[in-house]
Amino acid sequence: YKKNIKIITIYDDVYPDLLREICDPPFVLYLKGNQNILNKQFMLSIIGARKPTAFAKIICDSLILGLIRENCVIVSGMASGCDSIAHNSAIFHNGTTIAVVGCGLDYIYPKENRNLFNEISLNHLVISEYPYHIRPEKRYFPRRNRIIAGLSKGLIVLEAKEKSGTMITANFAIQYNREVFAVPGPIIMEEYKGNHRLIQDGAKLITCTNDILEEF
């Protein structure tokens, strides 16, 4: 209560229906911000590399503009790179965003995202499955990724190397029968090899927002 953190369980009405359906849903969620955002029906995750190219922000902005017009909530993991780009783009264009973090809500990781964390926790929503006192550890983040995939109707990959946390999240989305969308890029760039692998495996190649919306 003193830290302004709300707690919900899988039995509460406000608990997201899509997340409840996955094979390993978190029993408890810790929330900071506007929990009414969880009532919104159209959520899409946008994720990608920790060290993106200059293309990532341009592409993300172009996609998010159309998604926000459809009242889409943008979900990501508040990591460096593409995650931060997605959150900041949603905020800049007056949209709504959810950050799913891999530590307790008393900690901000990475530390350079302090301002972003404060903005999201004040006007949007930050979610964790860990009690507020749990420090960030490497092993928590792959499990965090299943929540990012589980919350959303679809997953958009901006940039991904073949072996990356982004691909782990994409595999969760495939496992949960979510729509997976991938942005194509130059075939010689490592940053897009994961995207091209996903497209080869059945993800939808996207070039604009309408490519996403027509699936819904």
Side-chain angles (χ1 to χ4, degrees):
Y1 175 79
K2 289 179 181 178
K3 294 177 181 292
N4 202 26
I5 295 170
K6 301 179 182 71
I7 302 172
I8 63 171
T9 76
I10 197 168
Y11 299 114
D12 291 323
D13 290 340
V14 71
Y15 193 98
D17 290 335
L18 281 177
L19 187 60
R20 191 184 279 121
E21 294 170 3
I22 71 173
C23 59
D24 185 20
F27 183 75
V28 175
L29 289 175
Y30 299 85
L31 314 175
K32 198 162 189 177
N34 180 7
Q35 74 174 37
N36 293 328
I37 293 172
L38 293 177
N39 296 327
K40 294 183 180 288
Q41 297 300 308
F42 188 25
M43 298 185 189
L44 289 177
S45 298
I46 300 181
I47 59 170
R50 299 283 178 96
K51 295 180 180 179
T53 70
F55 296 130
K57 185 180 187 309
I58 299 168
I59 294 166
C60 189
D61 279 338
S62 70
L63 295 174
I64 276 181
L65 273 169
L67 294 175
I68 286 173
R69 290 193 199 104
E70 300 296 323
N71 295 314
C72 177
V73 176
I74 305 301
V75 180
S76 200
M78 215 181 73
S80 301
C82 288
D83 287 16
S84 297
I85 287 170
H87 292 305
N88 280 313
S89 181
I91 293 166
F92 180 80
H93 293 295
N94 299 313
T96 306
T97 190
I98 294 175
V100 185
V101 298
C103 56
L105 297 179
D106 234 13
Y107 293 92
I108 297 172
Y109 183 85
K111 289 182 179 180
E112 61 263 26
N113 274 350
R114 178 172 297 278
N115 289 340
L116 179 60
F117 177 91
N118 290 338
E119 170 67 22
I120 296 175
S121 64
L122 186 66
N123 297 311
H124 302 268
L125 185 63
V126 185
I127 295 177
S128 177
E129 66 177 317
Y130 301 107
Y132 70 88
H133 60 275
I134 298 296
R135 295 176 178 272
E137 291 185 24
K138 189 175 182 179
R139 61 195 171 106
Y140 295 147
F141 292 93
R143 283 188 57 76
R144 177 276 308 267
N145 293 347
R146 84 192 193 287
I147 301 175
I148 294 173
L151 274 173
S152 307
K153 289 188 173 183
L155 179 84
I156 301 165
V157 178
L158 294 178
E159 293 179 354
K161 294 183 178 181
E162 272 197 282
K163 294 183 178 179
S164 61
T166 301
M167 295 298 282
I168 293 173
T169 313
N171 287 330
F172 278 127
I174 293 166
Q175 181 183 333
Y176 302 153
N177 294 315
R178 305 296 196 250
E179 299 289 343
V180 177
F181 307 96
V183 176
I187 60 173
I188 58 171
M189 291 181 65
E190 290 289 333
E191 290 84 356
Y192 287 93
K193 287 195 172 179
N195 297 46
H196 297 152
R197 175 62 61 194
L198 289 170
I199 292 167
Q200 288 175 326
D201 290 343
K204 180 167 182 175
L205 184 155
I206 55 171
T207 59
C208 63
T209 306
N210 284 341
D211 292 339
I212 301 165
L213 295 176
E214 68 183 11
E215 294 299 317
F216 302 106

